[in-house]
Amino acid sequence: MAWCVVRSFNAPATGAGILRNRPHFPVAVRAVSVASSIFRRSSSSNRSLSFSCKAASADSRLKEAVQTEKAPAALGPYSQAIKANNLLFVSGVLGLVPETGKFISDNVEDQTEQLLKNMGEILKAGGASYSSVVKTTIMLADLNDFKKVNEIYGKYFSSPAPARSTYQVAALPLGAKIEIECIAAL
C-alpha cells in the first residue's frame, strides 16, 4: 500500500464548486487508484491546502491467498479466498462436504447450510467472520428456492446484514443448486 502526503501546498481559499471544475492533481507512487483524500484549510491568514491520499498498489505481493482444508478445495485455477487491502474476497462456495468433495445432498436447504459452514471456515482461515461480511452474491439454479435459502441465510448473517445480490443462473458448477461468494472487511 502506498501513502502520499502533501503537508503545506499553498493555494488560495476557494469554494467547493470551483474545485470540482479544476483538473485533479496527479499523485502517483505505483498506484492504481486513490482510495481516500482529505482536504482541510489552515486557520492562518496565509491559507494553505493540505491533503493526503491512500493508494492501492498493483504489486502482487500485497495480495495473499487463503487456504483451508476445512472447506472444499478450489475446483480450478483460483483461490478459496484472497486477502488484499484489508478485505477478504471469498470465491463462490458450494455445498460440498470437504472430506468427500461430494454434495451433502441434492436438496437446496442442505446445500445452503453446508456451503455457509464451508464459507465460515474460509472466513475464519482469512481472519474474518460472518459479522465482518459486507457483501454477498447468491447464485441460484432456481429462483423459486429464494425463500428457503433466505431463511437459512438469515441464521448466519445478523443485523446489520451484508449488502446482497441474488441471481438465477443458467447452471452452476457440478450441478449445484446454490453458490454464494462474499467480501469481508478485515
Side-chain angles (χ1 to χ4, degrees):
M1 183 153 319
W3 281 90
C4 54
V5 177
V6 173
R7 183 75 180 123
S8 183
F9 180 85
N10 289 328
T14 184
I18 294 171
L19 283 176
R20 275 187 290 245
N21 297 327
R22 289 191 178 177
H24 297 287
F25 296 105
V27 179
V29 181
R30 292 176 36 205
V32 292
S33 69
V34 174
S36 67
S37 50
I38 302 164
F39 292 92
R40 70 179 162 82
R41 289 188 211 157
S42 70
S43 60
S44 68
S45 60
N46 179 13
R47 301 206 175 212
S48 63
L49 178 66
S50 298
F51 70 94
S52 65
C53 64
K54 178 180 168 184
S57 172
D59 190 338
S60 65
R61 292 173 292 180
L62 295 181
K63 69 180 188 178
E64 173 188 340
V66 173
Q67 170 69 35
T68 179
E69 292 181 9
K70 294 181 179 182
L75 299 174
Y78 62 91
S79 300
Q80 288 175 323
I82 289 287
K83 278 185 181 184
N85 297 323
N86 295 322
L87 293 172
L88 181 66
F89 299 87
V90 178
S91 296
V93 182
L94 301 175
L96 301 171
V97 176
E99 297 80 18
T100 66
K102 305 286 183 201
F103 286 111
I104 190 151
S105 80
D106 195 35
N107 175 306
V108 72
E109 295 94 339
D110 293 340
Q111 286 188 25
T112 302
E113 193 79 45
Q114 182 63 46
L115 85 76
L116 287 167
K117 288 176 186 176
N118 294 341
M119 181 179 285
E121 292 296 336
I122 297 169
L123 289 166
K124 187 171 21 170
S129 66
Y130 296 110
S131 65
S132 59
V133 173
V134 295
K135 173 71 169 89
T136 61
T137 303
I138 301 175
M139 291 150 283
L140 291 168
D142 184 352
L143 201 54
N144 290 319
D145 291 332
F146 180 78
K147 185 176 178 183
K148 297 174 202 172
V149 168
N150 210 35
E151 289 175 19
I152 297 165
Y153 178 96
K155 294 189 294 185
Y156 287 84
F157 297 102
S158 59
S159 185
R164 180 176 84 180
S165 301
T166 304
Y167 304 98
Q168 177 173 315
V169 296
L172 290 167
L174 305 175
K177 302 281 186 193
I178 183 170
E179 180 176 3
I180 302 179
E181 64 183 27
C182 72
I183 301 170
L186 299 175

